[in-house]
Amino acid sequence: MLDLFADAEPWQEALAPGAVILRRFALSRADTLLGGINDVAAVSPFRHMITPGGYTMSVAMTNCGKLGWATNARGYLYAAQDPITGNPWPPMPAVFQSLCHDAAMTAGYAEFVPDACLVNRYAVGAKLSLHQDKDEPDLRAPIVSVSLGLPAVFQFGGLQRNDPLQRLLLEHGDVVVWGGVSRLFYHGIQPLKPGVHPQTGEFRYNLTFRQAAYSE
Ligand code: SIN
Ligand code: FE2
């Protein structure tokens, strides 16, 4: 298929106060980012975490950076060690750090320095129910979220679970940044539709950068 946007410059779409979609922002670095995901998964493999309520998550996850997001019987937490390997999570690849820095700067969060990167892998049918990212102690830091591979429908609401939802298709190379007044807005991913992407096959990947430790 002829892709009319293949050579287009990235463009921005306002999402909410403090929130923006940087369309195709990561496209030129997508192959290197995917290589980084492979490197991370070679050290800390993708796994389906179990929620405190006993449900197996449909999204497969791993982490890189100083801290990694994980679940246990008591709740959600950030840990310095991968509970599967017992070792520290692999370091954030340099291309992850530079992409995150450039995206945060473009979105108006020039100070953002992530110490955690959650890597999500969606197979057909995988979804992330509506939730808030609220396990981070310092809510001054934004969330930077990078989409790679198959497209997915992103839901973005408000501070209340039943606030009206925007539904936006996130495609290969899109970056969403939210912070400030929208830092705790509910969001989720609808079940992945079947498809084949030239770079990622039957999967969608997402990188979510956070600051998970409090910084003075
Ligand atoms: C998340 O909310 O952690 C991930 C969102 C996404 O996969 O785009
Ligand atoms: Fe989230």
Side-chain angles (χ1 to χ4, degrees):
M1 202 178 76
L2 179 64
D3 188 348
L4 296 172
F5 293 103
D7 298 320
E9 287 295 306
W11 67 99
Q12 301 188 16
E13 292 172 12
L15 187 56
V20 65
I21 307 185
L22 308 176
R23 293 287 188 190
R24 312 301 188 266
F25 191 86
L27 190 55
S28 63
R29 290 177 254 191
D31 289 345
T32 337
L33 291 166
L34 288 167
I37 293 176
N38 267 334
D39 295 344
V40 167
V43 176
S44 280
F46 282 103
R47 79 289 309 264
H48 293 271
M49 298 186 190
I50 318 263
T51 67
Y55 292 99
T56 301
M57 298 183 75
S58 59
V59 179
M61 298 175 170
T62 183
N63 289 278
C64 60
K66 265 201 201 97
L67 294 169
W69 186 85
T71 63
N72 68 19
R74 288 181 302 280
Y76 305 108
L77 67 150
Y78 282 97
Q81 269 90 34
D82 177 346
I84 287 190
T85 66
N87 295 321
W89 299 101
M92 252 185 239
V95 59
F96 284 27
Q97 295 183 41
S98 53
L99 186 274
C100 179
H101 172 80
D102 296 349
M105 180 114 105
T106 303
Y109 299 98
E111 312 285 274
F112 181 48
V113 182
D115 54 17
C117 176
L118 173 66
V119 186
N120 294 314
R121 187 185 67 193
Y122 296 75
V124 58
K127 65 177 170 84
L128 211 52
S129 309
L130 212 56
H131 67 278
Q132 297 169 292
D133 287 9
K134 58 175 186 191
D135 302 319
E136 303 74 27
D138 191 341
L139 296 173
R140 293 170 300 180
I143 302 287
V144 172
S145 172
V146 181
S147 293
L148 296 165
L150 286 179
V153 177
F154 180 61
Q155 306 169 313
F156 198 73
L159 276 179
Q160 308 298 325
R161 184 177 281 281
N162 56 8
D163 281 340
L165 297 173
Q166 301 185 60
R167 287 186 179 78
L168 306 125
L169 192 69
L170 295 183
E171 296 184 75
H172 186 58
D174 288 350
V175 180
V176 186
V177 183
W178 65 97
V181 293
S182 56
R183 175 60 180 75
L184 287 177
F185 279 17
Y186 276 88
H187 59 279
I189 291 285
Q190 291 182 5
L192 192 79
K193 297 224 176 82
V196 179
H197 188 274
Q199 267 81 47
T200 66
E202 299 180 3
F203 296 104
R204 168 179 188 263
Y205 294 92
N206 166 261
L207 306 174
T208 302
F209 295 94
R210 288 97 178 253
Q211 182 194 313
Y214 196 81
S215 101
E216 289 305 317

